[in-house]
Amino acid sequence: MFLELIGTIFAGFAFAGVVMVVNKLTGGRLPKWAAPVAAGAGMIGMTITSEYSWYDRTRDQLPDSLTIVQEVESRAFYRPWTYAVPFVDRFAAIDATSVRTNANLPDERLVDLYFFGRWAPVSKMPVAVNCAENSRANLADGAEFADDGRLLNASWIKIDAEDPVIEATCGV
């Protein structure tokens, strides 16, 4: 965040500097407000570029074991251009190396689901997936297991087989 702020400030100085050089070369024919307007436009452009490139930069730095299962696009009235071209500001991914199985329950798996957000710390939530019944249970509040490995206090949610969490977890 701090580096993006510094980059935005430098973009403002750079755009204003270019306008000032052009003004000098043209003999002072540009209006006095041209440099501040250019600085503001440069800062806004840098901010928009940073917002749109965050997802790609973050995704490219992820290890190969993480599979992205959901992307959340952002649209806001105070950023009207996002209605034409929305940008991803949050996404979820599962860690294939975290998939755990139990020999007593071969259709059930435990996996770690990670949530990434712009300006937010990464959070992790364990999820139980039943591949045979196409259901999953979020274990955010913890879980109790029986002696045979069954989940005792899980709230299973029936979902489609095309659910990306089930596809990514059961395909491992």
Side-chain angles (χ1 to χ4, degrees), residues 1-171:
M1 183 163 120
F2 180 71
L3 292 177
E4 288 184 21
L5 176 65
I6 298 299
T8 301
I9 291 169
F10 276 108
F13 279 120
F15 274 66
V18 167
V19 168
M20 290 167 73
V21 167
V22 168
N23 191 34
K24 189 76 161 174
L25 294 174
T26 61
R29 293 185 181 171
L30 294 178
K32 291 186 180 191
W33 51 263
V37 168
M43 293 170 79
I44 290 171
M46 177 64 185
T47 302
I48 292 170
T49 300
S50 181
E51 285 180 340
Y52 277 91
S53 66
W54 171 81
Y55 173 67
D56 293 329
R57 286 183 283 128
T58 305
R59 183 191 60 211
D60 292 345
Q61 293 177 356
L62 294 176
D64 294 336
S65 64
L66 285 179
T67 303
I68 296 173
V69 293
Q70 184 179 17
E71 300 167 344
V72 179
E73 293 182 337
S74 177
R75 291 181 176 92
F77 73 93
Y78 54 87
R79 293 181 293 209
W81 58 87
T82 60
Y83 288 101
V85 183
F87 66 93
V88 176
D89 71 340
R90 293 179 290 156
F91 67 94
I94 67 160
D95 186 3
T97 60
S98 74
V99 176
R100 296 172 300 280
T101 58
N102 183 342
N104 295 335
L105 302 165
D107 292 328
E108 291 184 15
R109 294 177 171 82
L110 289 176
V111 66
D112 290 330
L113 182 62
Y114 290 91
F115 299 98
F116 295 82
R118 183 158 167 77
W119 310 119
V122 177
S123 59
K124 177 176 89 169
M125 180 175 64
V127 176
V129 175
N130 188 321
C131 298
E133 297 178 7
N134 293 329
S135 60
R136 68 179 186 198
N138 298 334
L139 306 176
D141 297 329
E144 291 182 35
F145 293 92
D147 291 337
D148 64 353
R150 285 181 303 111
L151 283 166
L152 297 177
N153 61 342
S155 297
W156 291 94
I157 302 167
K158 187 90 169 143
I159 47 182
D160 293 333
E162 292 84 29
D163 180 69
V165 173
I166 289 183
E167 285 182 346
T169 304
C170 297

